[in-house]
Amino acid sequence: MIIKPRIRGFICTTAHPRGCAAAVDQQIAHVKEAGPIGSGGKRALIVGASGGYGLSSRVVVAFGCGAGTVGVSFEKAPEESRTATAGWYINRAFDARAKRAGLYAKSFDGDAFSDAMKEQVIAAIKADLGQIDLLVYSLASPVRQHPRTGVLHRSAIKPLGAVKHFKTLNVDRGVVHEVDLEPATAEETAATVQVMGGEDWEFWIDALAKANVLARGFRTISYTYIGSDLTWPIYWEGTLGKAKEDLDRAALAMRARLKAVEGDARVAVMKAVVTQASTAIPVVPLYASLLFRVMKDARVHEDCIAQIDRLFRTQVYGSSRAEDRAGGGGAMRLDDVGRIRMDERELAAPIQNEVRRRWPLVSTENVAELADLEGFRADFLKIFGFGLPGVDYEADLDPALADL
Ligand code: NAD
């Protein structure tokens, strides 16, 4: 099969095995070039490990800290006439590279919200690692079947209170347009909190603690987005913001609970990047492509791996390198509710003022100029393994390709 991108709205229904492996290689190279991360944990569990911030976290702790990793994600295997989802190839490529580097790696495919998955993962930790030093909780899902009630909750990405008018971008067609979004009902808001809030993160910690697999000094991190007034109506002040508030609640509760192992639980506020999850949020593609243009011009842009590398190198773990310590290694940059802030470059006044200045001006005619439409598209295709240098995209491949 000759595998080409097939884009439907904000998803690509094909993925390129060799390209996905090349994307993993790029991330590993980024971390290796930055050098080892001094005092990192050596045994980590990453929930939501196959893409976006979770994949970068796995790469950083493995190839930066030398950690053995267990990854959990929800991906589809290939069929005869269909490629697998990108994360399926990515997990295989990651596991192969980790093993070649002498690092333990095991990837589980299935529903992280279920008790069965938690049991399987804990059994593997007990058998292979004994305990873990780190849990990165980086799930982004549209649905969650509640493990206790069996109810299938569906998240809704909607504003709250009243109909809100938004400017947004169809990335595929390069069209800037306006949309009206109906406010969420109370049920939709509650369901979004069920899916994207902190309860499942707490369930993981409860299960791991009960099984006595949390090492002394154990840390757990989950990711949030706050953004600026341009995205607040759809994000922080919408259903997603309510879910993320619940993540803050969970972090606080878990910080108290983890005192027993001298542990810590933190939410890290990350910058906007292109991932499967973020492209599905209205407004984000327009905001992010304007932001990327402005941040790239100011030479402060970071992609997924650059953000996560800086997070672990300067905030989560100290660094053995003097220049990293000068950049804040060891001491965490926390806000008033104890979140780690990694969005300080995105939110810097000169960056936001410039994005805000461009916002009313941007249209279909000038979007390629005022915004980084090409960069956004390239990042989007890269998620699915397309557009990577050195990959033969004309090659006839078996989609079940095993040697990644
Ligand atoms: P992503 O879509 O790239 O990754 C989501 C991961 O979750 C994948 O590995 C997927 O397989 C996994 N997953 C989804 N449902 C699952 C299930 N039921 N069981 C097991 N695995 C499942 O998403 P992302 O953008 O990297 O988001 C990760 C976290 O980062 C989210 O909490 C998100 O809010 C946060 N965040 C993202 C951005 C951004 O701009 N993308 C910014 C700040 C914070």
Side-chain angles (χ1 to χ4, degrees):
M1 182 192 294
I2 295 171
I3 304 168
K4 299 282 173 196
R6 208 178 304 144
I7 296 168
R8 300 271 177 278
F10 49 78
I11 62 156
C12 178
T13 59
T14 51
H16 198 282
R18 295 249 182 265
C20 289
V24 173
D25 284 332
Q26 271 193 351
Q27 296 207 19
I28 294 172
H30 179 106
V31 177
K32 281 191 168 165
E33 201 183 315
I37 299 174
S39 62
K42 296 289 182 221
R43 300 159 298 179
L45 167 61
I46 318 294
V47 179
S50 63
Y53 277 137
L55 170 64
S56 296
S57 305
R58 194 176 193 190
V59 169
V60 167
V61 296
F63 291 89
C65 308
T69 57
V70 178
V72 183
S73 53
F74 202 34
E75 300 296 339
K76 276 205 193 101
E79 288 164 24
E80 206 177 320
S81 58
R82 230 186 124 88
T83 71
T85 53
W88 191 87
Y89 297 123
I90 284 169
N91 288 339
R92 265 152 195 78
F94 177 88
D95 286 359
R97 279 145 189 76
K99 280 173 193 153
R100 256 181 258 149
L103 299 167
Y104 172 87
K106 193 164 204 151
S107 296
F108 287 91
D109 217 334
D111 184 10
F113 295 126
S114 71
D115 288 338
M117 177 55 77
K118 292 179 177 75
E119 281 161 22
Q120 275 185 57
V121 167
I122 287 168
I125 292 171
K126 278 189 167 167
D128 302 339
L129 298 172
Q131 292 188 312
I132 52 167
D133 310 291
L134 175 74
L135 163 65
V136 176
Y137 186 86
S138 187
L139 275 194
S141 172
V143 292
R144 172 183 177 213
Q145 176 149 35
H146 197 284
R148 310 285 187 265
T149 64
V151 174
L152 186 71
H153 298 285
R154 249 171 232 291
S155 65
I157 303 175
K158 289 190 172 181
L160 293 177
V163 175
K164 298 259 162 71
H165 189 72
F166 296 103
K167 196 169 186 176
T168 190
L169 168 69
N170 178 314
V171 178
D172 190 23
R173 293 190 290 129
V175 173
V176 176
H177 61 109
E178 318 242 329
V179 284
D180 280 327
L181 289 183
E182 292 290 326
T185 62
E187 291 73 32
E188 286 171 324
T189 308
T192 309
V193 174
Q194 280 293 331
V195 180
M196 288 296 289
E199 189 184 54
D200 184 59
W201 187 18
E202 291 182 287
F203 281 1
W204 272 99
I205 294 292
D206 285 347
L208 293 161
K210 205 167 144 215
N212 198 23
V213 295
L214 301 181
R216 195 145 289 279
F218 167 82
R219 322 267 300 257
T220 184
I221 297 172
S222 189
Y223 301 128
T224 197
Y225 183 69
I226 293 180
S228 75
D229 53 316
L230 291 169
T231 55
W232 284 342
I234 188 66
Y235 202 102
W236 191 250
E237 293 172 350
T239 49
L240 284 173
K242 287 288 160 218
K244 293 302 192 183
E245 263 176 32
D246 190 61
L247 209 61
D248 289 334
R249 173 205 57 75
L252 204 64
M254 285 191 283
R255 270 211 289 286
R257 210 178 309 160
L258 287 172
K259 281 202 177 118
V261 291
E262 293 165 30
D264 192 30
R266 296 281 157 190
V267 168
V269 190
M270 309 304 282
K271 90 179 262 287
V273 290
V274 183
T275 65
Q276 288 199 46
S278 70
T279 46
I281 307 171
V283 187
V284 166
L286 181 60
Y287 169 77
S289 45
L290 281 167
L291 177 76
F292 293 179
R293 176 76 282 132
V294 174
M295 289 188 84
K296 283 180 184 176
D297 289 349
R299 300 190 172 280
V300 292
H301 179 72
E302 290 173 304
D303 59 8
C304 254
I305 189 69
Q307 262 277 282
I308 295 286
D309 185 271
R310 188 162 68 89
L311 168 71
F312 280 90
R313 210 171 279 281
T314 69
Q315 303 291 301
V316 181
Y317 298 126
S319 170
S320 53
R321 299 198 329 170
E323 59 268 40
D324 293 332
R325 279 203 300 276
M332 288 192 286
R333 188 176 44 250
L334 300 179
D335 66 14
D336 55 354
V337 296
R339 305 183 199 102
I340 302 172
R341 299 305 292 241
M342 291 302 297
D343 57 346
E344 81 285 17
R345 295 177 181 172
E346 170 177 345
L347 296 188
I351 300 292
Q352 284 299 318
N353 289 343
E354 185 54 27
V355 176
R356 209 172 284 117
R357 187 187 71 77
R358 293 178 191 213
W359 192 263
L361 306 177
V362 70
S363 65
T364 304
E365 289 66 44
N366 63 21
V367 66
E369 228 173 282
L370 291 185
D372 186 22
L373 184 58
E374 281 320 302
F376 192 100
R377 279 179 173 152
D379 283 359
F380 177 73
L381 286 172
K382 200 162 144 184
I383 296 172
F384 305 94
F386 296 106
L388 275 294
V391 176
D392 179 2
Y393 288 102
E394 301 308 322
D396 195 353
L397 295 178
D398 174 0
L401 206 64
D403 63 324
L404 289 172

